[in-house]
Amino acid sequence: MKKYLHNAPFQLEAGGCLNGVEIAYHTYGHLNSAGDNVVWVCHALTASSDVFEWWKGLFGENDFFNPKDYFIVCANVLGGCYGTTGPLSSNAEIGKSYFHDFPLITIRDIVNAHDLLRQHLGIEKIFLGVGGSLGGQQIQEWAIDKPKLFDGLVLIATSAKHSPWGIAINESQRMAIAADATWQLKHERAAQEGLKAARAVALLSYRHYDAYGETQQEEDNDSLDHFKASSYQNYQGKKLVNRFNAFTYWTLSKAMDTHNVGRGRGSVSKALRSITARTLVVGISSDVLFPIVDQRLLANEIPNAQLEIIDSSYGHDGFLVETEKLSKLMVEFIQDEVAGAKKLKSISA
C-alpha cells in the first residue's frame, strides 16, 4: 500500500473543508509508454484499495486483469478506514480523531479525491474504469465530470441515483448503530454490537432468498433453535466488526445516500447522456438492492452503452462472486473496444 498526501484544503460539496487529505492506494503493473493501459477500480462500501485481495478471480496475477498487461490502480475512498482520511483520522485543529464530527461527504467528494491521486500519478487517460455498487456510483460521477478521461466503463450492480429502498436500508443500519449505547463514546471500537446488527441487516439486501435456501437450510426437520441462518448472521456481523468501525460505516452509507448524478445537472438523463466512454452495464438477476431496473436505466440513457445480465442466485454479492461470468463479458467488451479504437485510428489516418 502506498500513500499520497494532498497537503492543501479540500473543499466538500456539502460545505466545510478538510485541511488536507491522505489517500491510500495500490498499484499493480506499470504504465506503458503510450499511457493507455490504465484500469482504475473503484471499490464498494467496506472494501480496501487492495483489489487483488477482495476481487480474486477477476484481478490477479493469473486472472483476466493482470499486471503483465495493465497498470491497475485502486484507492481507498475518502471517509474510509484503510489508510485514507476518514472519521478515525486525526483532526489537526484539535489534535484528536474526528469520530462523530467527521463532515458529510458525497460520492463527488470521493471522486475528487481520486482525481487528485490520478494527477499525482501522472495519468492522463484511463483505458477502463471498473466499479460495482458504490464503486459503480463513483465511476459514473467521474465519467460525467471528466468525460474525456475514460475510454471505457464497466458499471456493475449499481444505479444512477440511490433509490428510496437503498436509502431506507442504509438508514435502518444506522438506526442499529445508534441504538448501541456505546455509540456516544469517542472511541474507535464504539458501537461494535450496533455495527454487527447493521451488517446483519445489510446482508439481507446483499444476498437473496434462494442463496440462503441453498446454504443455510437446516439438515433436519427437528430444529427449534440455533438455526444455521441465525449463526450465519452473527458470524458475518462479527467478521465485519473485526476489520471495520461504526464511524466509517456511518460516513460511507451516508455518502452512498447522496448519490444522484442529476443533482445540479438538470436531470439524471441529461447527466448520463454526457458520458462519452463506451460503457458495459452489468446487472445481477437476483439483486434486490440494485435491481435490474436500475441497470436498464443506465444502459438506456448512456450513449453507446450495452446491458448484460448475469444469472445468479447470489444477489447483489454476485458482482464479487461471479468472476468467471464477469471475465467472459469483459473479454468481449474489451475486444470490441480495442477493435473500435483501431478502426477510428485507421479512419483518422
Side-chain angles (χ1 to χ4, degrees), residues 42-343:
C42 289
H43 70 71
L45 187 67
T46 66
S48 69
S49 60
D50 189 1
V51 65
F52 276 30
E53 191 277 329
W54 56 263
W55 218 347
K56 294 175 182 176
L58 192 61
F59 288 86
E61 298 285 347
N62 300 308
D63 296 323
F64 178 70
F65 288 112
N66 67 75
K68 291 178 289 186
D69 299 322
Y70 300 104
F71 181 50
I72 302 165
V73 184
C74 184
N76 184 218
V77 295
L78 180 69
C81 61
Y82 291 112
T84 295
T85 298
L88 297 189
S89 300
S90 178
N91 180 351
E93 293 183 0
I94 61 174
K96 297 179 181 179
S97 296
Y98 288 94
F99 295 120
H100 309 83
D101 297 326
F102 193 74
L104 174 68
I105 61 171
T106 69
I107 300 298
R108 295 180 190 180
D109 294 325
I110 291 172
V111 167
N112 286 340
H114 290 333
D115 204 62
L116 287 175
L117 175 61
R118 174 192 66 82
Q119 295 173 55
H120 168 70
L121 295 175
I123 295 171
E124 297 181 358
K125 196 72 172 177
I126 296 177
F127 172 65
L128 196 67
V130 183
S133 192
L134 177 73
Q137 295 176 338
Q138 296 165 56
I139 294 291
Q140 289 171 64
E141 281 288 355
W142 208 353
I144 291 168
D145 187 52
K146 289 185 166 49
K148 295 182 180 180
L149 178 62
F150 294 88
D151 287 331
L153 311 175
V154 180
L155 309 176
I156 313 166
T158 191
S159 65
K161 175 182 177 180
H162 205 43
S163 67
W165 170 249
I167 293 171
I169 290 171
N170 282 345
E171 181 65 19
S172 298
Q173 295 176 69
R174 291 189 293 268
M175 288 169 66
I177 290 172
D180 186 326
T182 68
W183 172 237
Q184 302 303 320
L185 302 177
K186 292 183 180 296
H187 190 280
E188 63 181 17
R189 304 310 290 167
Q192 288 191 0
E193 289 302 310
L195 178 59
K196 177 182 170 183
R199 187 60 164 183
V201 171
L203 275 174
L204 299 179
S205 67
Y206 295 161
R207 304 295 166 81
H208 187 266
Y209 178 95
D210 291 342
Y212 273 82
E214 292 170 8
T215 63
Q216 305 304 319
Q217 193 68 254
E218 296 302 312
E219 296 176 0
D220 60 62
N221 296 317
D222 299 323
S223 299
L224 295 175
D225 199 358
H226 307 297
F227 297 104
K228 289 177 66 175
S230 301
S231 298
Y232 181 74
Q233 296 299 96
N234 277 276
Y235 166 74
Q236 290 294 344
K238 290 177 182 177
K239 188 176 177 182
L240 182 70
V241 165
N242 289 338
R243 67 177 181 86
F244 221 70
N245 70 85
F247 299 99
T248 300
Y249 204 83
W250 185 286
T251 295
L252 296 184
S253 69
K254 281 279 194 180
M256 177 178 268
D257 290 352
T258 71
H259 178 61
N260 182 345
V261 298
R263 185 172 60 253
R265 297 178 176 132
S267 69
V268 167
S269 177
K270 185 177 180 180
L272 292 178
R273 289 186 178 279
S274 70
I275 294 176
T276 60
R278 285 188 68 249
T279 304
L280 173 63
V281 181
V282 183
I284 309 297
S285 62
S286 56
D287 192 342
V288 297
L289 182 57
F290 292 92
I292 299 300
V293 65
D294 286 340
Q295 287 86 62
R296 287 197 192 282
L297 186 150
L298 290 170
N300 288 339
E301 297 292 348
I302 297 174
N304 203 18
Q306 67 184 76
L307 173 66
E308 299 289 345
I309 299 173
I310 290 177
D311 187 25
S312 172
S313 63
Y314 286 103
H316 183 61
D317 275 354
F319 86 91
L320 295 171
V321 178
E322 302 286 6
T323 53
E324 185 174 341
K325 294 178 180 179
L326 272 173
S327 294
K328 184 176 184 298
L329 293 176
M330 300 280 195
V331 168
E332 296 171 355
F333 179 70
I334 287 179
Q335 285 177 343
D336 290 344
E337 174 71 20
V338 172
K342 287 182 177 178
K343 183 177 180 181

